[in-house]
């Protein structure tokens, strides 16, 4: 019994450590991406021609900023590697990534809808594109049932046509009319 | 000064401005009452609506959303135990137990009155402090300005979020994003990779909407497997006892003034806002109380401290914005951007070049706090129902409002593509616990920092001047000290917490 309790206590203590190690690993990836990106941008900024009128040219400030960013990322990456080594339980990365993605599946689906919506907006016009986006997004979040379909249809109609009218008539802000409706 | 004050008041008291402000006040309260939706997001959504207005009218409406928003977070904090905004975290400590103890009306009224007095006290300090500070600020040279921005960014990085390093990285990423597009002195294109989308640079407001709003909305629909808190039901009958509670708040003058002063001070520090002020004010109230054991069980002092503290940051944040042109928080940065959209450059010369606008903003702050009070007292019961609106309606609709805001800024479809890309980056950063406020402030402060650095070196190519000019040296030393103290406190915490460190220890 005691042995079992100790085991479960040890497992309980190791679970947060493993979770923390995985989070630190994800951050390490971000430091590496930002670090490499900043080195590249710093080099690109350094290629900009210098000015004859001032000691600092157009490229100096970006070079300085991305140089500092690279140094900060390097320090953070080194510290994170040390932390991960101390925690020492970097297992189940693939599984953790799957859980992470599963938790955020609606977020990414919503973002996918947003990207398609933004792509279609100039062609389909604000009212039509917004109506379809709102309808799909609302049903995606709430689930499909007779009640949610009716609610979503009404809300989509009100906010697509209503917002377009509000901005055009009250605030004189004209949203894209779309190729289909432009005449 | 009196002429400017009267001219500003004349514009604010125009009938249409007052109506718009009233709508703004209601919108701010409603938006912040929804758990998960911050004051910043409410202001972002208001922004496109103000494009067609006069500068002062637009800013007055945004201020009323701002002031209303700081109070709106109180509603869900007190009744549901969920802070509507990060600024009302400490409010839950005592307002929720008080509401659960059978006094929900008293908890709400205490919060509303404390917010009102907090805003008024902060506005008085704003009126007194901003003009003389601006007079000093116009005498600062480019060296001092550059050092001030370095100081502001280090303070932001050390105060916001769980990690100094990630805060600094976020701030420097912001500075880096600001370098994309034409260089601010000569207009030479930089880091655009010949892309037509990047050629005009990354508009600050697009970055702000993408980073804050899109990432927040994506986070709202995450499914973490936890069931929502359905246990805390809003009672049907709530007695607000408005006037007796007002007297009760005034019977705690020391707590009220101390918490408001903390709010003003925290608000004036770049990057630090209501989310820190409410906790700090609460902590100080508890430390100075004769009955600290009552805190957390539903004491009036706890509610007053938290709400006066967070509301007072509204006036405090405007001090560096109006006097120095350095926004105190993301919300102030949006206000600053709104003025820039109207062609008004914000900085120490604002009070001299547009005194009616600056003094009008002071008047608008007072009017906004009065409106918030009236709206809350008369219709608090209605706002309680806002928390019942399902996410399925709110999240996509607010997303559409963000798209409209991004498009209406320049009427450019390419801005929408930027919005999507930046939103995804913001969501990634948020998931990895990078603080987003330093990034946004980095974007707005980047061009100012670069222009001043280049101007400074144009007039004297010697870098040591930054350390030999006294004010510049003091600011750089302060920046260094803020980093050292932050690192020191984290190291202390690490030593104390090990081996049971958690996510909070950061760097």
């Amino acid at each position: 019994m005691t042995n079992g309790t100790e085991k479960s206590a040890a497992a309980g203590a190791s679970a947060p450590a493993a979770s923390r190690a995985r989070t630190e690993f994800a951050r390490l990836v971000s430091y590496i991406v930002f670090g490499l990106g900043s080195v590249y941008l710093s080099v690109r900024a350094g290629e900009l021609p210098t000015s004859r009128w001032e000691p600092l040219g157009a490229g100096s400030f970006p070079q300085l900023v991305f140089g500092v960013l690279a140094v900060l990322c390097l320090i953070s990456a080194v510290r994170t590697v040390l932390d991960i080594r101390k925690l020492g339980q970097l297992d189940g990365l693939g599984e953790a990534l799957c859980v992470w993605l599963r938790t955020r599946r609606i977020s990414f689906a919503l973002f996918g809808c947003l990207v398609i919506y933004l792509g279609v907006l100039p062609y389909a016009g604000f009212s039509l594109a917004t109506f379809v986006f709102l309808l799909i997004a609302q049903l995606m979040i709430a689930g499909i049932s007779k009640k949610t379909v009716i609610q979503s249809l009404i809300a989509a109609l009100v906010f697509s046509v209503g917002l377009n009218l509000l901005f055009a008539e009250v605030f004189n802000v004209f949203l894209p009319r779309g190729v289909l409706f432009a005449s | 000064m009196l002429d400017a004050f009267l001219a500003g008041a004349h514009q604010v008291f125009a009938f249409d401005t007052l109506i718009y402000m009233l709508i703004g006040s209601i919108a701010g309260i409603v938006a912040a009452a929804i758990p998960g939706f911050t004051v910043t997001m409410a202001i972002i959504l208001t922004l496109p609506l103000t494009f067609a207005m006069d500068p002062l009218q637009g800013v007055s409406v945004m201020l009323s959303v701002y002031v209303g928003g700081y109070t709106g977070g109180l509603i869900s904090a007190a009744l549901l135990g969920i802070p509507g905004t990060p600024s009302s975290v400490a409010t839950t400590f005592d307002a929720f137990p008080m509401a659960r103890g059978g006094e929900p009306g008293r908890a709400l009224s205490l919060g509303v009155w404390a917010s009102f007095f907090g805003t008024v006290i902060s506005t008085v300090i704003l009126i007194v402090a901003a003009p003389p500070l601006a007079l000093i600020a116009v005498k600062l040279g480019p060296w001092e300005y550059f050092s001030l921005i370095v100081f502001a960014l280090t303070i932001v990085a050390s105060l916001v979020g769980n990690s100094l390093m990630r805060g600094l990285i976020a701030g420097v990423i912001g500075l880096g994003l600001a370098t994309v597009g034409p260089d601010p002195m000569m207009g030479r294109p930089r880091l655009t990779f010949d892309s037509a989308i990047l050629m005009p640079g990354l508009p600050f407001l697009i970055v702000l909407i993408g980073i804050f709003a899109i990432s927040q909305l994506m986070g709202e629909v995450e499914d973490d497997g936890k069931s929502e808190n359905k246990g805390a039901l809003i009672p049907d009958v709530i007695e607000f006892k408005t006037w007796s509670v007002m007297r009760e708040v005034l019977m705690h003058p020391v707590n009220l003034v101390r918490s408001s002063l903390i709010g003003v001070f925290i608000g004036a520090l770049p990057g630090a806002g209501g989310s820190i002020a409410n906790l700090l004010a609460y902590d100080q109230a508890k430390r100075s109380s004769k009955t600290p054991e009552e805190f957390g069980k539903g004491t009036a002092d706890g509610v007053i401290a938290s709400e006066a503290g967070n509301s007072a940051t509204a006036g405090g944040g405007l001090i560096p914005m109006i006097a120095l042109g350095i926004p105190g928080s993301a919300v102030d940065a949006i206000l600053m951007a709104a003025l820039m959209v109207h062609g008004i450059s914000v900085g120490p010369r604002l009070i001299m070049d547009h005194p009616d606008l600056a003094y009008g903003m002071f008047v608008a702050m007072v009017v906004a706090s009065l409106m918030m009070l009236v709206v809350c007292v008369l219709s608090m019961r209605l706002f309680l129902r806002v928390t019942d609106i399902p996410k399925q309606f709110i999240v996509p609709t607010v997303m559409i409002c963000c798209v409209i805001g991004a498009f209406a800024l320049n009427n450019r479809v390419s801005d929408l593509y930027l919005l999507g890309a930046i939103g995804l980056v913001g969501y990634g950063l948020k998931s990895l616990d990078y603080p987003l406020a330093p990034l946004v402030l980095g974007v707005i402060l980047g061009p100012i920092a670069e222009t001043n650095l280049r101007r400074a070196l144009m007039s004297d190519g010697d870098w040591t001047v930054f350390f030999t000019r006294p004010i510049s040296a003091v600011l750089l030393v302060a920046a260094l000290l803020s980093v050292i103290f932050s690192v020191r406190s984290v190291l202390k915490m690490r030593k104390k917490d090990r081996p049971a460190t958690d996510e909070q220890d950061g760097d």
Side-chain angles (χ1 to χ4, degrees):
Chain A
M1 178 74 189
T2 319
N3 198 17
T5 318
E6 275 172 8
K7 263 186 186 171
S8 67
S14 70
S19 157
R20 191 166 172 238
R22 287 194 291 266
T23 310
E24 289 299 334
F25 181 77
R27 284 184 190 139
L28 176 64
V29 173
S30 75
Y31 298 142
I32 293 170
V33 170
F34 289 140
L36 291 176
S38 56
V39 169
Y40 171 70
L41 290 171
S42 183
V43 171
R44 285 295 300 255
E47 289 167 3
L48 287 165
T50 50
S51 170
R52 276 191 294 168
W53 316 106
E54 50 170 339
L56 295 185
S60 306
F61 187 73
Q63 212 178 356
L64 176 72
V65 167
F66 288 114
V68 170
L69 182 57
V71 172
L72 288 174
C73 287
L74 181 68
I75 296 169
S76 300
V78 169
R79 287 200 47 199
T80 309
V81 169
L82 294 176
D83 274 355
I84 292 172
R85 283 182 64 178
K86 259 183 210 165
L87 292 163
Q89 295 179 34
L90 197 59
D91 45 3
L93 267 179
E95 196 189 330
L97 183 65
C98 286
V99 172
W100 190 86
L101 287 172
R102 205 166 38 239
T103 310
R104 289 159 177 80
R105 66 190 185 286
I106 299 178
S107 305
F108 285 118
L110 184 67
F111 182 73
C113 286
L114 179 72
V115 169
I116 297 169
Y117 166 68
L118 294 178
V120 169
L121 189 64
Y123 306 101
F126 179 81
S127 295
L128 181 62
T130 305
F131 176 78
V132 177
F133 170 76
L134 283 178
L135 188 64
I136 294 172
Q138 286 172 3
L139 291 175
M140 201 165 63
I141 297 168
I144 299 175
S145 70
K146 198 178 164 188
K147 188 182 160 194
T148 56
V149 169
I150 294 169
Q151 283 179 336
S152 303
L153 267 172
I154 296 169
L157 195 66
V158 168
F159 286 108
S160 56
V161 179
L163 279 176
N164 199 6
L165 280 175
L166 176 79
F167 275 86
E169 301 298 325
V170 181
F171 300 111
N172 285 328
V173 173
F174 296 96
L175 302 166
R177 289 180 66 189
V179 181
L180 298 174
F181 302 96
S183 55
Chain B
M1 177 186 156
L2 190 63
D3 288 348
F5 196 83
L6 289 174
H10 178 71
Q11 288 183 57
V12 172
F13 283 107
F15 182 70
D16 52 345
T17 306
L18 289 175
I19 293 291
Y20 286 138
M21 284 181 76
L22 183 65
I23 297 169
S25 191
I26 295 169
I29 297 168
V30 168
I34 303 166
F37 287 81
T38 58
V39 184
T40 312
M41 198 182 284
I43 296 269
I44 288 173
L45 295 179
T46 316
L47 184 67
L49 308 179
T50 63
F51 289 165
M53 299 177 185
D54 293 335
L56 182 54
Q57 194 175 45
V59 171
S60 301
V61 173
M62 290 171 90
L63 283 174
S64 58
V65 176
Y66 191 4
V67 173
Y70 270 129
T71 312
L74 155 80
I75 296 174
S76 54
L79 298 179
L80 303 176
I82 309 166
T85 66
S87 320
S88 50
V89 171
T91 310
T92 57
F93 300 164
D94 278 290
F96 186 54
M98 189 184 279
R100 273 309 177 83
E103 296 182 295
R106 181 171 165 240
L108 288 170
S109 294
L110 275 171
V112 169
W113 280 109
S115 291
F116 171 71
F117 288 121
T119 311
V120 170
I121 291 171
S122 76
T123 309
V124 171
I125 296 172
L126 168 70
I127 294 169
V128 173
L133 196 58
L135 284 176
I136 297 169
V138 283
K139 290 173 187 150
L140 299 181
W143 300 270
E144 285 79 15
Y145 250 92
F146 179 76
S147 304
L148 182 65
I149 290 166
V150 173
F151 173 59
L153 278 175
T154 52
I155 283 277
V156 174
S158 56
L159 287 178
V160 181
N162 300 322
S163 156
L164 170 71
M165 282 308 273
R166 284 198 294 282
L168 284 174
I169 289 174
V172 180
I173 289 175
L175 289 176
L177 289 177
T179 63
V180 175
D183 111 63
M185 301 269 290
M186 303 293 180
R188 180 187 291 278
R190 304 182 298 191
L191 307 174
T192 55
F193 304 99
D194 297 325
S195 155
I197 295 179
L198 295 177
M199 212 50 97
L202 301 177
F204 162 69
L205 285 168
I206 306 291
V207 176
L208 190 111
I209 297 172
I211 286 285
F212 268 109
I214 300 290
S215 67
Q216 174 79 31
L217 291 168
M218 283 174 72
E220 279 299 308
V221 290
E222 282 173 12
D223 175 20
D224 55 3
K226 292 173 197 160
S227 58
E228 284 180 28
N229 183 7
K230 300 274 184 195
L233 292 173
I234 298 167
D236 287 334
V237 182
I238 298 180
E239 209 181 323
F240 289 107
K241 300 175 186 164
T242 308
W243 303 111
S244 66
V245 170
M246 182 196 78
R247 280 192 293 276
E248 189 182 352
V249 171
L250 290 173
M251 292 300 279
H252 297 80
V254 178
N255 184 12
L256 187 65
V257 172
R258 182 186 51 231
S259 304
S260 302
L261 289 177
I262 289 172
V264 171
F265 178 69
I266 296 290
L269 290 178
S275 51
I276 297 173
N278 76 109
L279 290 165
L280 202 61
Y282 184 88
D283 182 55
Q284 287 305 312
K286 189 176 174 182
R287 280 171 199 269
S288 341
S289 171
K290 285 174 189 162
T291 52
E293 69 282 357
E294 290 299 315
F295 277 71
K297 295 176 186 168
T299 181
D301 267 325
V303 185
I304 293 170
S306 170
E307 282 301 308
N310 70 25
S311 294
T313 56
L318 288 178
I319 296 173
M321 189 190 105
I322 291 178
L324 306 168
I326 308 273
S329 67
V331 175
D332 297 309
I334 306 167
L335 286 174
M336 191 165 153
L339 288 170
M340 285 154 77
V341 167
H342 285 286
I344 292 166
S345 87
V346 182
R349 293 211 58 84
L350 180 75
I351 290 185
M352 289 150 223
D353 295 342
H354 302 278
D356 55 333
L357 181 64
Y359 286 100
M361 283 166 74
F362 302 155
V363 176
M365 277 288 288
V366 178
V367 174
S369 57
L370 269 171
M371 275 185 180
M372 175 276 294
L373 182 71
V374 173
V375 169
C376 281
V377 167
L378 293 180
S379 47
M380 180 82 88
R381 203 182 306 272
L382 269 178
F383 296 136
L384 307 181
R385 300 294 161 210
V386 168
T387 51
D388 296 339
I389 301 173
K391 274 180 191 170
Q392 84 207 48
F393 298 122
I394 293 170
V395 172
T397 311
V398 174
M399 222 170 223
I400 293 298
C401 294
C402 293
V403 170
I404 295 175
F407 178 79
L409 188 65
N410 296 314
N411 275 21
R412 249 192 337 235
V413 174
S414 59
D415 282 353
L416 299 180
Y417 306 142
L418 277 178
L419 176 76
I422 292 168
L424 188 64
V425 172
Y427 183 62
L429 291 173
K430 192 167 171 270
S431 301
L432 291 169
D433 198 27
Y434 281 86
L436 300 179
L439 192 152
V440 167
L441 290 179
V443 175
I444 203 164
L445 293 178
I448 308 173
E450 180 175 2
T451 308
N452 281 294
L453 177 66
R454 286 166 71 174
R455 270 192 200 145
L457 291 174
M458 270 166 101
S459 48
D460 189 340
D462 185 6
W463 285 79
T464 57
V465 179
F466 284 98
F467 302 96
T468 52
R469 288 177 67 106
I471 297 177
S472 170
V474 166
L475 288 166
L476 288 176
V477 168
L480 189 67
L481 285 178
S482 77
V483 173
I484 290 171
F485 278 119
S486 182
V487 171
R488 205 171 135 245
S489 69
V490 169
L491 287 177
K492 251 187 190 173
M493 205 159 73
R494 279 198 159 200
K495 242 181 213 172
K496 206 170 122 188
D497 289 354
R498 291 235 177 239
T501 45
D502 61 10
E503 276 299 286
Q504 292 298 315
D505 69 347
D507 288 279

